[in-house]
Amino acid sequence: MEGLADRLCESGGDPVDDIALLVLHRERDVAALPSRTACAVVPVGDPAALSRSRHSAREVALAAGAGTECADAVETVTGELVANALLHSPGAALLSVRVIGPGTPRRRLRIEVED
């Protein structure tokens, strides 16, 4: 994965735009398990909504069994992602936080922000 990301960054492109790489690995047993989800619409110019979105992501992480340190990191990353979307787009941001494979050693937390 790191090699692919390095090649993408070295290939040129627009140096002022973001580069996003999505890697998906799906396992049959993990995909069949229920997952926890939190969604929020974060309007531009609403600091309370930004704060609630951060807190919501933290709560999903804690409910999935993450430790306090990991939940702190989830809260920080969520705030940065949402703030970036609000700063660089004219409308609201849509936050989705989902735990994939809860209760398994392969559980993952997916944080998505759509602008």
Side-chain angles (χ1 to χ4, degrees):
M1 307 297 167
E2 289 178 14
L4 177 58
D6 289 343
R7 286 194 305 272
L8 284 171
C9 291
E10 293 167 358
S11 68
D14 186 352
V16 296
D17 199 4
D18 294 338
I19 296 175
L21 173 64
L22 171 66
V23 179
L24 176 66
H25 175 79
R26 183 173 180 174
E27 293 186 9
R28 187 176 57 243
D29 60 335
V30 173
L33 294 171
S35 63
R36 300 170 192 259
T37 303
C39 294
V41 175
V42 186
V44 175
D46 188 350
L50 176 57
S51 179
R52 285 190 305 272
S53 70
R54 290 173 47 132
H55 181 73
S56 178
R58 177 186 176 76
E59 292 302 311
V60 170
L62 288 171
T68 304
E69 188 174 327
C70 181
D72 290 345
V74 165
E75 185 174 13
T76 299
V77 166
T78 300
E80 293 294 321
L81 289 171
V82 172
N84 187 55
L86 294 173
L87 182 64
H88 297 289
S89 68
L94 176 62
L95 170 68
S96 173
V97 182
R98 180 175 179 207
V99 178
I100 302 169
T104 71
R106 299 209 28 99
R107 74 178 178 268
R108 299 288 184 264
L109 182 70
R110 180 179 298 163
I111 304 168
E112 297 174 348
V113 177
E114 183 179 331
D115 57 8

